[in-house]
């Protein structure tokens, strides 16, 4: 094929997604100097579009706009206005489902099943649930009077006010969902927002600017900054005293760095970080084989902070569990990696870098002495993108790195335990505490769940993650809670007022 033909093919590929622009102070525009960077599609490793590559001047302009909109307009005090605009924005997202699906498929690398469940539908459903709980936000609390004696009486109340300018730094795995969680919660609280999506998934952020412009949001209330360098804009936002709060979802390592960087300005932090969640299957669980089989880690290639990547099964049924898993992985061998199959739950990982990271952990697991039950290989035969086989390790001990560190890929580790006490100890023997699950007779499973140190946990298939519920973690899984009333209140400050009549 000639060079000219190659160039033409690349240009045609680049038209899959539109050019992503910055949204600053109410205007969609290119980056300073027109600089862009390539948006790489995980299915093929090819360019699927381009996005604006923001400069320091662009980031500064976004901060100035957000600061002015908060300080000089009625956005922070006009509850009805902002609720109406958030509702209008939601309606525009629903009306642009085709765009949302295209972004999730081509930019995120989500297969159709993941698009229909988690990437788009869950985003819009949780957003709707957030609007439904908005009337329950408490803006004022009466603390009554305090008699100091001698006729000196204080009347007291607390008022809850938006904190100010919020910088939202978001990940690439479920970008529409996390972007909505942060942007919508902060807007409902009365804050102004600068959204910085992950470099790998810029259009999942850009669409917030495009549709905010269509909805008629006041200039500066929402700003969107994209860029190839994951650090430049983030460092500016974290260290700038004009930004009042950082909300970040990503790795614990980066979360710690953000906390250190923000300490100089005593910046408020809301951090959703890593996880290594455990699924505990008790020996009296009904449908034991079915539960174990459905634990295979394939949905969206295991790229989720709340995935249950440690499967804990009773030693008395360990051989049975291994046989069930072997059959489950064998049965799934031809069911993943299909772009157009509506039943496909697993596609590629998001990038070459992530593929190499996952493969490095698979090699670590083998070196540590775990037994590779299934998978373990890269699969270039699936396509020219970033494909890693669904992988399962057995004969794992909880002190192994593959049992302690977040892999963020389709790698399940299976750990045996002797009794409930050991299962609880293993589940809690982690620096993380984000999610989890327990399966067994109801009372027994509830007793176990109550002792697992984690922010969310499902018992016998109960769903603890939804837009009307607070979501967050214990320990190094984060600080604060997203979604629900609590998620909106993360963006509020408390002021106590006392007065004498």
């Amino acid at each position: 094929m000639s060079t000219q033909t190659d160039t033409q093919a690349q240009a045609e590929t680049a038209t899959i997604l539109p050019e992503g622009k910055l949204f600053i102070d109410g205007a969609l525009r290119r980056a300073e100097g027109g600089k862009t960077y390539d948006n790489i599609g995980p299915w093929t490793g090819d360019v699927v579009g381009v996005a604006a590559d923001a400069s320091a001047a662009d980031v500064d302009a976004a901060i100035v706009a957000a600061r002015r909109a908060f300080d000089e307009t009625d956005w922070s005090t006009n509850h009805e206005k902002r609720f109406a605009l958030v509702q209008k924005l939601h309606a525009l997202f629903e009306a642009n489902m085709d765009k949302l699906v295209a972004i999730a498929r081509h930019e995120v690398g989500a297969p159709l099943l993941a698009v229909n469940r988690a990437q788009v539908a869950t985003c819009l459903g949780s957003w709707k649930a957030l609007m439904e709980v908005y009337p329950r936000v408490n803006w004022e609390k009466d603390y009554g009077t305090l008699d100091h004696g001698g006729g000196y009486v204080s009347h007291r109340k607390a008022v809850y006010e938006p904190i100010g300018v919020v910088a939202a730094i978001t990940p690439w795995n479920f970008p529409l969902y996390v972007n909505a969680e942060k942007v919508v919660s902060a807007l409902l609280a009365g804050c102004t927002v600068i959204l910085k999506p992950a470099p790998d998934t810029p259009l999942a952020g850009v669409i917030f600017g495009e549709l905010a412009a269509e909805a008629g949001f006041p200039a500066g209330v929402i700003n969107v900054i994209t860029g190839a360098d994951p650090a430049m804009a983030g460092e500016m936002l974290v260290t700038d005293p004009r930004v009042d709060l950082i909300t970040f979802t990503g790795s614990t390592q980066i979360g710690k760095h953000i906390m250190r960087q923000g300490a100089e300005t005593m910046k408020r932090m809301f951090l959703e970080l890593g996880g290594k969640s455990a699924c505990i299957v008790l020996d009296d669980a009904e449908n034991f084989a079915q539960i174990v089989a459905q634990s295979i880690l394939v949905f969206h290639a295991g790229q989720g902070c709340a995935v249950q990547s440690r499967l804990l099964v009773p030693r008395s049924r360990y051989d049975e569990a291994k046989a069930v898993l072997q059959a489950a992985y064998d049965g799934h061998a031809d069911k993943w990696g299909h772009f157009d199959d509506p039943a496909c739950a697993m596609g590629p990982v998001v990038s070459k870098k992530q593929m190499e990271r996952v493969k490095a952990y698979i090699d670590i697991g083998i070196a540590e002495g775990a037994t590779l039950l299934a998978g373990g290989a890269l699969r270039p035969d699936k396509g020219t993108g970033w494909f890693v086989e669904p992988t399962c390790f057995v004969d794992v001990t909880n002190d192994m790195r593959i049992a302690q560190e977040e892999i963020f890929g389709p790698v399940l580790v299976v750990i045996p335990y002797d009794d409930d006490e050991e299962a609880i100890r293993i589940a809690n023997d982690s620096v993380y505490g984000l999610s989890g699950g327990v399966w067994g007779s109801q009372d027994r499973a509830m007793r176990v769940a109550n002792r697992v140190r984690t922010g969310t946990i499902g018992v016998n298939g109960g769903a603890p993650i939804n837009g009307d519920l607070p979501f967050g973690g214990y320990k190094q899984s984060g600080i604060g809670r997203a979604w629900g009333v609590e998620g909106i209140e993360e963006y509020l400050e408390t002021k106590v007022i006392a007065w004498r009549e």
Side-chain angles (χ1 to χ4, degrees):
M1 183 180 289
S2 69
T3 302
Q4 183 177 2
T5 307
D6 286 340
T7 304
Q8 181 181 0
Q10 186 175 12
E12 289 172 355
T13 302
T15 63
I16 291 175
L17 296 176
E19 179 182 348
K21 295 181 180 179
L22 308 180
F23 185 61
I24 300 174
D25 205 14
L28 289 163
R29 63 175 179 81
R30 290 185 168 87
E32 182 186 45
K35 190 177 180 183
T36 63
Y37 72 99
D38 289 339
N39 190 2
I40 305 300
W43 289 95
T44 63
D46 293 330
V47 176
V48 294
V50 295
D53 193 1
S55 69
D58 294 319
V59 178
D60 184 72
I63 296 172
V64 168
R67 187 77 261 169
R68 185 180 63 249
F70 184 81
D71 293 337
E72 300 178 15
T73 76
D74 69 345
W75 180 258
S76 66
T77 57
N78 195 329
H79 295 231
E80 293 78 14
K81 175 181 180 179
R82 62 181 186 251
F83 186 54
L85 280 169
V86 166
Q87 288 179 304
K88 187 174 182 180
L89 187 61
H90 182 266
L92 286 171
F93 267 75
E94 287 189 318
N96 283 272
M97 286 289 289
D98 289 348
K99 286 185 179 179
L100 301 180
V101 168
I103 289 169
R105 297 189 77 193
H106 295 287
E107 178 178 87
V108 185
L112 280 173
L113 187 62
V115 168
N116 294 333
R117 289 187 183 176
Q119 295 289 347
V120 177
T122 300
C123 167
L124 297 180
S126 291
W127 184 338
K128 183 179 179 182
L130 199 58
M131 294 189 297
E132 289 171 349
V133 302
Y134 178 65
R136 290 167 35 200
V137 176
N138 189 16
W139 302 101
E140 188 172 303
K141 182 178 180 181
D142 182 12
Y143 278 85
T145 59
L146 178 64
D147 189 343
H148 303 277
Y152 176 20
V153 177
S154 291
H155 300 264
R156 295 93 47 81
K157 69 176 181 178
V159 294
Y160 304 99
E161 303 175 337
I163 190 169
V165 174
V166 169
I169 303 173
T170 58
W172 45 256
N173 58 328
F174 293 98
L176 286 166
Y177 178 82
V178 180
N179 291 346
E181 170 256 303
K182 296 184 185 304
V183 170
V184 175
S185 297
L187 293 176
L188 289 174
C191 297
T192 57
V193 181
I194 304 161
L195 172 62
K196 193 199 84 65
D200 295 297
T201 51
L203 291 192
V206 165
I207 195 166
F208 279 82
E210 293 174 347
L211 297 184
E214 188 174 341
F217 271 75
V221 167
I222 302 178
N223 305 272
V224 182
I225 296 292
T226 58
D229 182 352
M232 185 277 290
E235 295 280 342
M236 285 186 66
L237 295 169
V238 169
T239 57
D240 196 299
R242 296 169 294 178
V243 175
D244 299 294
L245 181 146
I246 298 292
T247 174
F248 168 77
T249 295
S251 73
T252 296
Q253 179 184 0
I254 300 300
K256 291 177 180 178
H257 175 72
I258 287 174
M259 288 188 74
R260 288 190 292 267
Q261 292 293 100
E264 184 64 30
T265 55
M266 294 297 290
K267 207 175 300 298
R268 281 269 297 275
M269 294 285 168
F270 169 26
L271 307 174
E272 301 170 69
L273 306 177
K276 194 71 179 180
S277 302
C279 174
I280 302 172
V281 185
L282 303 177
D283 58 11
D284 65 354
E286 287 190 40
N287 303 314
F288 178 88
Q290 179 182 341
I291 293 164
V292 170
Q294 71 189 23
S295 300
I296 65 174
L297 200 55
V298 293
F299 190 80
H300 193 37
Q303 297 172 114
C305 56
V307 299
Q308 296 170 26
S309 55
R310 289 185 297 158
L311 177 62
L312 278 54
V313 295
R315 196 177 302 276
S316 61
R317 305 188 71 171
Y318 194 52
D319 288 342
E320 177 186 356
K322 288 193 287 186
V324 167
L325 286 167
Q326 183 72 72
Y329 276 97
D330 288 347
H332 204 81
D334 296 321
K335 296 179 180 179
W336 70 280
H338 303 296
F339 185 78
D340 289 318
D341 183 351
C344 178
M346 177 173 161
V349 295
V350 76
S351 65
K352 182 178 181 181
K353 177 181 177 181
Q354 189 63 18
M355 180 181 72
E356 291 170 347
R357 170 188 168 87
V358 174
K359 184 60 170 67
Y361 269 106
I362 292 170
D363 294 342
I364 288 168
I366 294 169
E368 288 182 311
T371 300
L372 191 61
L373 182 79
L378 305 183
R379 290 290 298 274
D381 59 299
K382 288 284 184 179
T384 54
W386 323 123
F387 295 94
V388 183
E389 282 185 320
T391 298
C392 179
F393 282 103
V394 296
D395 304 324
V396 176
T397 57
N398 202 52
D399 59 346
M400 292 180 178
R401 287 182 62 187
I402 58 170
Q404 288 292 320
E405 298 177 17
E406 186 177 43
I407 299 173
F408 227 69
V411 181
L412 179 71
V413 301
V414 189
I415 304 171
Y417 66 87
D418 289 318
D419 55 27
D420 292 5
E421 289 298 319
E422 187 179 20
I424 295 165
R425 180 189 63 75
I426 292 171
N428 289 335
D429 181 17
S430 171
V431 298
Y432 301 113
L434 188 57
S435 194
V438 184
W439 297 82
S441 58
Q442 189 72 13
D443 289 347
R444 181 181 172 196
M446 286 295 293
R447 287 195 299 270
V448 171
N450 283 328
R451 292 180 57 195
V452 177
R453 300 274 298 163
T454 190
T456 62
I457 191 163
V459 174
N460 291 328
I465 301 174
N466 195 63
D468 63 337
L469 297 173
F471 173 77
Y474 288 18
K475 299 184 281 187
Q476 293 189 32
S477 285
I479 299 171
R481 291 297 182 269
W483 297 110
V485 172
E486 293 86 348
I488 299 171
E489 291 175 344
E490 286 289 340
Y491 300 95
L492 300 178
E493 283 280 27
T494 302
K495 176 189 291 181
V496 173
I497 302 175
W499 69 98
R500 294 178 67 184
E501 294 180 349

